[in-house]
Amino acid sequence: MFVIPNATIKRVEAICRNFLWDSSSEYHRVPLVGWDRVTLPKDAGGLGIKKASIWNIAAVGKLVNWIYTKSDRLWIKWVDNVYLKGSNWHDYKPANDASWTWKSICKVKEKIKDGFIDNLWYPHQKGYTIGNGYDWLLGTHASQPWSVIVWNDWNIPKCSLNSWLIMQEGINTKAKLFAYGVCTDDRCILCETQTETSDHLFNYCDFGKQVHELIEEWIGRSIPTINELMITNRNNMKWKAMALIQTTYRYCVWTQRNRARHELCVERPVIVFERMKKMIRSQVRRKYPNRDGRSDFDAVGSLMRFLN
């Protein structure tokens, strides 16, 4: 609840941003996704990381709320006696010779005062909290329909993060690198026939198609696309299993593409499939240990083959 100087907040956010992309507090890599998008809620397309600048305003807002509600605290009585002197807090303006901290608190009051009606915080009946103050300051953002697929609770975490990057166009495909002048051509390194974009890699690449066919042969049914998953029932096990397959498939194809680029080694599709199969089987066992044959797992239907 202390007022943190802007320079300090910027440094804190820089450390968080650099650590996210490079596991270091110093700047070494260009961020793949802008910080403003990273700090959005997950359902709005972000990672749900709190933005320090907004969080500090919300935290100082707790002091503002205490003054609004005339909380029975010694500090509030001191503020009323030294600064307010009976003034209406909602319309109060600090004097020019007031302290920096008090002026900063008053600036925060101006930013959040529209959230107070009759000196009470109106969005939540339980009163002001730093959490609901942060949400109010962050505002509303359009929900991204793909977020439920990316953050499906059946997914493997590293596959979820990889799929999030893909959805945000954050992966460095050859098309992007070629536009930056980093590589000499933009041909797909796996099939060498078309421009390597994320859409090509995961939907049209011959290498990916072969992996896809092996998966469908394994589970005995076709796999819904990401767009199809967005519009189907999201509350059953079969949907969660399909989301798990899609995110794991994208992770395995992307890691194979990176290995082909950096190690000049393209494995056969069946090897990538076996690796993916092992990851999926392990994740299903983790979600449903020792449940082979039970009715709740039977709802997955042909996906019972995961454990065979």
Side-chain angles (χ1 to χ4, degrees), residues 160-175:
S160 286
L161 183 59
N162 179 72
S163 291
W164 174 78
L165 280 171
I166 293 168
M167 291 300 185
Q168 291 284 7
E169 294 293 334
I171 59 173
N172 286 323
T173 59
K174 286 187 71 178

Side-chain angles (χ1 to χ4, degrees), residues 215-252:
I215 299 167
E216 292 183 336
E217 181 181 346
W218 173 45
I219 66 173
R221 58 162 295 167
S222 61
I223 304 171
T225 65
I226 292 291
N227 289 335
E228 290 170 340
L229 286 173
M230 289 182 195
I231 60 176
T232 52
N233 182 10
R234 304 170 182 177
N235 296 319
N236 59 65
M237 294 175 65
K238 187 172 292 186
W239 184 92
K240 291 185 176 185
M242 289 302 172
L244 166 65
I245 290 173
Q246 278 287 6
T247 54
T248 309
Y249 163 74
R250 290 178 169 224
Y251 174 82
C252 289

Side-chain angles (χ1 to χ4, degrees), residues 288-299:
Y288 287 89
N290 302 321
R291 286 195 165 189
D292 301 23
R294 290 193 180 183
S295 59
D296 56 351
F297 197 87
D298 288 340

Side-chain angles (χ1 to χ4, degrees), residues 2-12 52-53 56 100-101 104:
F2 290 103
V3 179
I4 303 176
N6 287 334
T8 303
I9 287 179
K10 288 180 180 179
R11 180 57 183 151
V12 168
S53 54
N56 187 231
W100 174 84
T101 300
S104 298

